[in-house]
Amino acid sequence: MKKAVSPEEVSRLCSSSRKKGKTVGLVPTMGALHEGHIKLIRECRKKCDFLVVSIFVNPAQFAPKEDLKNYPRTLKRDILICRENGADLVFTPGMKDIYPCGFETYVELEKLPAHLCGLKRPGHFRGVATVVLKLFNIVRPALAVFGKKDYQQLAVIRKMARDLNVPVKIVGVETVRAKSGLAVSSRNRYLSSSELDNAGILRKSLLEGKRMASSGASGAAIKRKIKGMLKSSRGRVDYISVCDRETLEDVKEIQGKALIALAVQVGPARLIDNIEITGAVRKIQKRK
Ligand code: PAF
């Protein structure tokens, strides 16, 4: 496994792999790798010949109040995890490699960030879209892999790639969960053991929402039910949304594919989760 810090070296290594007919795959991360990232790396490994994992804690996606300084940094361990899971190249750029002096060009989506987490995190998705496009331009991967846990991020990246004609296939990977159903996240480390147990209700409420959708319940009824169930998490609900999978706009009657997404503040951690749902399709009887 190779390691590189400079974008030029990474571009050179990737382009030489492409010339040999290899498919380049990318897993962008901010490090502090856990089971969720390992699944992304393994999925990408299966789909490409030259696997690049990037590790860069991106300041542009942190709001001024969010704690960039205290973001966990475990680089040595991360590099080991990349090696054990079959990465060919780990890209660990420094700040100036990504944001050189005088940097002033950002990628901003007009509508998608105005939903779900974007409402509480102004500028976050601008930072994500900008750094991911830069990584795409450096690596020029045929495919890039992201987790469905951050569903809005996945939707933003898909849309950005489509809108800007970036020739990359975006692959979404299912969320890794603890036994309780809680989605694995670097934020779970801030929860006490009783908070961790209580947080299992997030998944249970989403499963109940999915069941209700398939038997024809409306978005409003699903949200009411989930809100009631989340009371037992003793968390503060930030949002519960029943929405379109691409635009993330609210849907009232669920007729086809949709999404339930939620965010709950449990103790010191803001937990997010979601579930893909399919509404009961109403058959329109044709008159003879
Ligand atoms: O999901 C993350 O870890 C980050 O948002 C990403 C996609 C690596 C961009 O910094």
Side-chain angles (χ1 to χ4, degrees):
M1 186 184 79
K2 292 201 165 66
K3 288 186 269 172
V5 171
S6 97
E8 292 72 24
E9 192 183 352
V10 170
S11 292
R12 196 176 46 70
L13 289 166
C14 293
S15 128
S16 114
S17 287
R18 264 190 306 275
K19 277 186 195 138
K20 290 179 198 146
K22 294 187 176 178
T23 304
V24 176
L26 171 67
V27 182
T29 80
M30 297 208 298
L33 302 184
H34 53 59
E35 287 302 318
H37 297 106
I38 293 177
K39 184 160 178 186
L40 304 184
I41 296 171
R42 289 187 180 160
E43 284 300 316
C44 195
R45 177 70 285 172
K46 285 189 220 155
K47 294 180 190 330
C48 75
D49 309 307
F50 189 74
L51 168 56
V52 184
V53 179
S54 64
I55 300 176
F56 177 68
V57 182
N58 175 33
Q61 67 189 76
F62 287 77
K65 268 196 297 172
E66 291 173 350
D67 212 350
L68 170 65
K69 259 206 261 152
N70 289 336
Y71 193 84
R73 284 162 173 88
T74 55
L75 189 59
K76 266 195 185 159
R77 191 176 158 272
D78 293 345
I79 290 177
L80 213 66
I81 290 176
C82 292
R83 178 173 290 130
E84 280 167 1
N85 290 282
D88 295 298
L89 171 63
V90 181
F91 176 32
T92 57
M95 201 57 71
K96 293 226 166 88
D97 296 308
I98 299 294
Y99 298 112
C101 223
F103 183 91
E104 60 171 324
T105 308
Y106 292 87
V107 179
E108 191 149 9
L109 287 86
E110 289 187 351
K111 292 187 191 144
L112 269 181
H115 301 282
L116 313 184
C117 293
L119 292 171
K120 282 273 164 74
R121 306 185 70 187
H124 171 71
F125 290 108
R126 174 190 199 244
V128 169
T130 302
V131 81
V132 170
L133 181 61
K134 285 178 68 80
L135 292 167
F136 285 171
N137 285 335
I138 294 165
V139 174
R140 291 204 276 133
L143 66 118
V145 175
F146 298 86
K148 286 192 185 179
K149 174 170 172 288
D150 295 311
Y151 209 94
Q152 187 169 16
Q153 167 168 287
L154 181 61
V156 160
I157 291 164
R158 276 193 208 286
K159 191 75 191 345
M160 177 271 283
R162 201 182 316 147
D163 286 355
L164 300 181
N165 303 86
V166 185
V168 61
K169 181 178 179 204
I170 306 297
V171 179
V173 169
E174 294 304 327
T175 303
V176 177
R177 298 178 181 283
K179 261 200 193 138
S180 66
L182 179 64
V184 171
S185 159
S186 49
R187 289 173 181 167
N188 296 355
R189 72 182 74 192
Y190 303 126
L191 300 179
S192 67
S193 62
S194 73
E195 283 167 343
L196 278 171
D197 288 344
N198 290 338
I201 194 69
L202 269 68
R203 173 68 173 167
K204 287 195 192 93
S205 70
L206 288 168
L207 286 169
E208 174 59 12
K210 182 179 171 115
R211 191 199 60 73
M212 287 174 72
S214 65
S215 50
S218 68
I222 292 172
K223 285 195 261 187
R224 257 196 318 276
K225 176 73 184 177
I226 292 180
K227 195 171 174 192
M229 289 181 76
L230 289 177
K231 278 197 179 131
S232 72
S233 73
R234 283 187 230 118
R236 189 174 46 72
V237 174
D238 180 2
Y239 65 76
I240 303 167
S241 171
V242 179
C243 58
D244 183 90
R245 288 188 197 176
E246 274 182 34
T247 64
L248 306 181
E249 275 163 13
D250 259 16
V251 292
K252 292 191 169 62
E253 300 300 328
I254 310 153
Q255 298 202 345
K257 290 178 175 183
L259 180 82
I260 310 175
L262 51 80
V264 186
Q265 186 76 35
V266 178
R270 185 171 174 280
L271 305 178
I272 59 169
D273 205 349
N274 62 73
I275 195 164
E276 290 175 328
I277 58 171
T278 308
V281 182
R282 292 205 187 105
K283 283 191 185 142
I284 300 165
Q285 301 280 349
K286 275 191 189 161
R287 277 194 201 155
K288 285 191 181 164

